[in-house]
Amino acid sequence: MTTPDDVLDCLIIGAGPGGLTAATYLVRYHRRILVVDAGKSRARWIPTSHNCPGFPRGVAGTTLLQQQRDQASGYGATIEDGCIARLQRDGDVFEATAADGRRWRARYVILATGIVDVMPPLDDLENAIAAGAVRLCPVCDGYEASDCRVAVYGPVDSTVSHALFLRTFSDDVSVIASDDSEVSDDCNEQARRAGIDVHPKPARLSFENGKTVVRDNDGNEQVFDTLYPTLGSTPNVDLARDLGLELDDCDEIIVGEDQQTSVDGVYAVGDVVSALNQIAVAVGHAAIAATKIHNRLPRNWRERPELQPETATELPSPPGTQAAAVPKAQRD
């Protein structure tokens, strides 16, 4: 039988920017937590982010993740490598089972499991991303593509809207179809008015000499400074489904203002939540969820030596003492 000391205050699943921020907050609240990480945060794909607050010269995704790990672990957070294969409620706690059989029990759970981007069939993709010839987020780094030759790759109709967004950064934007579907008249007209060329599905995409090369079936090629794939993503919601969490039409987790899901005690943060997929957003989610969980847990008063009765009677009350206002975060 599990004793209260065997139960974590919170189990955090996923160590991307959101999960690690939640860990830092909770361990600084003196809570007993554990982070379990499968090592697949999409932040690791970021060569350099220039819109991450506090890094005016930019920061690599791997560097950011390591600094956040160092910050959380420096305050005492435990971060373990592993993949949670099963998550279920057991009475008034949650039990998580890793693929290797390890088990943990916790009063609260934060899901920071993220999403997986669908990648284009491009030769030498990893190096292309590192060089900026392929970029995964126009919100993050459309600025870096300013006045460059830009291609947007994906299903034509849905991709035209992304191309229109990028048209505010460059006057040379093209759509490259990822399939053989026909472009609708409306999308074709929108592209025409914006000066966006729409091209059929290519025979091959490759990374050559620092750029993305698009070749058609006749061997003709076009060279782009940057290619943005818009093939969608797959949310990591297997554990959410295990618990019966409510999902939206895109299979992302629906949460309330405090980041709690439809199951009491389970919170979700970051890209797995229906929201703007940005590091700054994930960090905000995490701060909200961690603080809410801290305030729902029993008060963890700091221990102090008991005052001796004769000493206590000699301690005067400070003049003009008034009841202190309770901070809003503690009233929630």
Side-chain angles (χ1 to χ4, degrees), residues 166-243:
L166 283 162
R167 183 66 178 78
T168 64
F169 295 98
S170 174
D171 65 355
D172 190 347
V173 178
S174 297
V175 167
I176 309 296
S178 63
D179 56 32
D180 295 320
S181 61
E182 294 289 331
V183 59
S184 68
D185 290 341
D186 179 58
C187 285
N188 195 45
E189 177 60 18
Q190 290 185 59
R192 186 194 65 77
R193 289 201 305 266
I196 296 171
D197 293 330
V198 178
H199 302 280
K201 179 182 177 181
R204 183 185 177 195
L205 301 173
S206 60
F207 172 58
E208 301 175 23
N209 300 317
K211 299 181 184 294
T212 293
V213 179
V214 179
R215 290 187 175 84
D216 64 20
N217 291 318
D218 297 325
N220 300 313
E221 66 179 43
Q222 296 187 77
V223 180
F224 295 94
D225 299 307
T226 296
L227 179 140
Y228 285 90
T230 60
L231 300 170
S233 59
T234 303
N236 291 317
V237 291
D238 288 345
L239 299 177
R241 287 198 172 96
D242 285 349
L243 288 172

Side-chain angles (χ1 to χ4, degrees), residues 257-294:
E257 291 182 358
D258 59 3
Q259 299 303 128
Q260 184 169 242
T261 69
S262 57
V263 172
D264 186 34
V266 179
Y267 293 73
V269 304
D271 293 350
V272 76
V273 173
S274 179
L276 183 65
N277 296 336
Q278 295 286 291
I279 290 171
V281 173
V283 168
H285 287 172
I288 292 169
T291 302
K292 188 66 177 182
I293 289 170
H294 170 63

Side-chain angles (χ1 to χ4, degrees), residues 42-283:
R42 69 196 294 253
R44 74 191 192 281
W45 286 102
I46 301 172
T48 306
S49 173
H50 292 279
N51 75 334
C52 187
F55 294 92
R57 287 172 291 280
V59 60
T62 52
T63 300
L64 178 65
L65 290 173
Q66 187 58 57
Q67 289 185 359
Q68 285 198 275
R69 275 179 173 258
D70 293 345
Q71 184 177 18
S73 59
Y75 286 107
T78 300
I79 304 171
E80 294 198 16
D81 295 333
C83 179
I84 300 298
R86 186 181 181 189
L87 181 63
Q88 61 187 348
R89 185 188 286 277
D90 182 14
D92 58 355
V93 300
F94 297 92
E95 183 173 272
T97 305
D100 61 7
R102 287 175 294 167
R103 293 186 180 185
W104 300 277
R105 291 163 63 80
R107 293 180 177 86
Y108 293 95
V109 173
I110 294 178
L111 296 176
T113 48
I115 61 177
V116 177
D117 293 292
V118 179
M119 296 296 192
L122 185 143
D123 297 339
D124 204 11
L125 176 63
E126 191 167 340
N127 284 327
I129 293 174
V134 172
R135 298 182 184 273
L136 302 178
C137 179
V139 173
C140 299
D141 49 32
Y143 181 89
E144 274 63 50
S146 295
D147 302 320
C148 293
R149 189 156 197 247
V150 177
V152 191
Y153 176 82
V156 178
D157 274 9
S158 62
T159 298
V160 166
S161 64
H162 293 273
L164 291 170
F165 177 82
L166 283 162
R167 183 66 178 78
T168 64
F169 295 98
S170 174
D171 65 355
D172 190 347
V173 178
S174 297
V175 167
I176 309 296
S178 63
D179 56 32
D180 295 320
S181 61
E182 294 289 331
V183 59
S184 68
D185 290 341
D186 179 58
C187 285
N188 195 45
E189 177 60 18
Q190 290 185 59
R192 186 194 65 77
R193 289 201 305 266
I196 296 171
D197 293 330
V198 178
H199 302 280
K201 179 182 177 181
R204 183 185 177 195
L205 301 173
S206 60
F207 172 58
E208 301 175 23
N209 300 317
K211 299 181 184 294
T212 293
V213 179
V214 179
R215 290 187 175 84
D216 64 20
N217 291 318
D218 297 325
N220 300 313
E221 66 179 43
Q222 296 187 77
V223 180
F224 295 94
D225 299 307
T226 296
L227 179 140
Y228 285 90
T230 60
L231 300 170
S233 59
T234 303
N236 291 317
V237 291
D238 288 345
L239 299 177
R241 287 198 172 96
D242 285 349
L243 288 172
L245 270 57
E246 186 178 356
L247 308 177
D248 65 14
D249 293 339
C250 297
D251 282 342
E252 294 172 322
I253 300 173
I254 296 174
V255 298
E257 291 182 358
D258 59 3
Q259 299 303 128
Q260 184 169 242
T261 69
S262 57
V263 172
D264 186 34
V266 179
Y267 293 73
V269 304
D271 293 350
V272 76
V273 173
S274 179
L276 183 65
N277 296 336
Q278 295 286 291
I279 290 171
V281 173
V283 168

Side-chain angles (χ1 to χ4, degrees), residues 9-12 17-33 35 108-112 256-260 265-270 281-300 329-330 332:
D9 289 324
C10 184
L11 173 67
I12 301 168
L20 291 170
T21 297
T24 296
Y25 267 67
L26 281 165
V27 78
R28 282 172 53 84
Y29 287 143
H30 297 292
R31 294 302 185 177
R32 186 166 177 255
I33 68 160
V35 182
Y108 293 95
V109 173
I110 294 178
L111 296 176
E257 291 182 358
D258 59 3
Q259 299 303 128
Q260 184 169 242
V266 179
Y267 293 73
V269 304
V281 173
V283 168
H285 287 172
I288 292 169
T291 302
K292 188 66 177 182
I293 289 170
H294 170 63
N295 288 334
R296 290 187 66 181
L297 285 162
R299 293 293 185 187
N300 52 343
Q330 295 181 17
D332 292 343

